[in-house]
Amino acid sequence: MAAAQGRLSDGADGMDDAKEGEGHTSDTVPPPFRAAVEALRTSRLRPQIEVEPTRAPQRLAPFAYALEAAVVDGDLDLADGRLVLLHDPAGHDAWHGTFRLVTLVRAELEPEMAADPLLPDVCWSWLTGALQARGLTYGEPSGTVTRASSHYFGGLAERPSASQIEIRASWTPREGLNGVPDTAAHLASWCDLLAQVAGLPPAGPGDASVVTLPQRRGPQSR
């Protein structure tokens, strides 16, 4: 399995994108946030999932760190997503904690799968199930599952119709020793969700009961 740290750009330590504005320096980054980011950077993931840091949003919390990922099969992307870690040392009433995880996951679907009326409920259960499967405790989950279809006309009429599923969600990870959540385990759960949406087989014998989406008809070239 590949370490998430190995995907980092040269010279990136995660802190440049983890601060808001010009008021924060590496010396003022709270130790719990620094430890949480380091756990994300050193996580070991499935080889089919490529992870790299990306610019974090700057107005959602005093401190933020973001990763983007793609599930790949050769030169094809089967699914992609973004995971953002937010931290407010003063706490946040809506979060009921000082950390928050925010995610976006997307994949293309076969049209008949996209038409299934139970698909949104199933996709949401994949998210909560991925967290529960790793024994993670979390609070205040919220999110949306969106289905979209594209039909092409005129000069694009030769393109086949396409359907996409999009999961947007956020939750509050339970804080552990020294106020640091187990971000490595949450990242692993998120990657489980990505793999499931992409239609990859279960990672191990213990996950054999997991039901995945059929591999989408037209993976996009990278």
Side-chain angles (χ1 to χ4, degrees), residues 10-76:
D10 292 341
D13 65 0
M15 291 304 167
D16 288 341
D17 286 339
K19 60 196 178 187
E20 178 184 8
E22 300 298 331
H24 297 301
T25 67
S26 59
D27 293 335
T28 64
V29 174
F33 181 70
R34 184 182 295 278
V37 168
E38 183 63 18
L40 290 176
R41 295 180 63 247
T42 57
S43 294
R44 300 188 65 82
L45 309 172
R46 290 181 63 162
Q48 302 96 331
I49 299 179
E50 295 186 353
V51 179
E52 62 182 7
T54 188
R55 185 168 180 81
Q58 297 187 349
R59 288 181 289 274
L60 296 180
F63 300 91
Y65 180 79
L67 294 169
E68 58 184 9
V71 182
V72 299
D73 180 12
D75 291 332
L76 302 177

Side-chain angles (χ1 to χ4, degrees), residues 5-218:
Q5 184 178 20
R7 306 291 183 185
L8 291 175
S9 301
D10 292 341
D13 65 0
M15 291 304 167
D16 288 341
D17 286 339
K19 60 196 178 187
E20 178 184 8
E22 300 298 331
H24 297 301
T25 67
S26 59
D27 293 335
T28 64
V29 174
F33 181 70
R34 184 182 295 278
V37 168
E38 183 63 18
L40 290 176
R41 295 180 63 247
T42 57
S43 294
R44 300 188 65 82
L45 309 172
R46 290 181 63 162
Q48 302 96 331
I49 299 179
E50 295 186 353
V51 179
E52 62 182 7
T54 188
R55 185 168 180 81
Q58 297 187 349
R59 288 181 289 274
L60 296 180
F63 300 91
Y65 180 79
L67 294 169
E68 58 184 9
V71 182
V72 299
D73 180 12
D75 291 332
L76 302 177
D77 285 354
L78 303 179
D80 60 76
R82 192 173 194 231
L83 183 68
V84 181
L85 175 68
L86 304 176
H87 179 54
D88 186 342
H92 195 293
D93 291 341
W95 302 351
H96 290 184
T98 64
F99 283 91
R100 187 76 171 172
L101 284 162
V102 182
T103 185
L104 164 67
V105 172
R106 298 174 297 194
E108 290 188 14
L109 305 173
E110 292 284 356
E112 56 270 24
M113 176 63 71
D116 187 341
L118 297 179
L119 182 64
D121 299 275
V122 171
C123 288
W124 183 256
S125 72
W126 288 345
L127 170 64
T128 57
L131 294 168
Q132 293 165 4
R134 291 185 179 271
L136 293 170
T137 303
Y138 61 96
E140 308 303 321
S142 63
T144 62
V145 177
T146 304
R147 290 177 291 191
S149 297
S150 298
H151 303 269
Y152 300 94
F153 302 92
L156 301 177
E158 294 184 359
R159 290 189 183 183
S161 298
S163 299
Q164 186 181 73
I165 191 74
E166 180 181 276
I167 304 171
R168 293 178 179 268
S170 63
W171 64 94
T172 299
R174 182 175 66 89
E175 296 170 17
L177 185 66
N178 298 321
V180 182
D182 188 353
T183 50
H186 282 271
L187 174 60
S189 294
W190 181 68
C191 288
D192 291 342
L193 172 65
L194 269 173
Q196 199 166 3
V197 170
L200 293 185
D207 299 325
S209 63
V210 173
V211 178
T212 61
L213 283 176
Q215 182 173 327
R216 64 191 188 186
R217 177 184 56 192

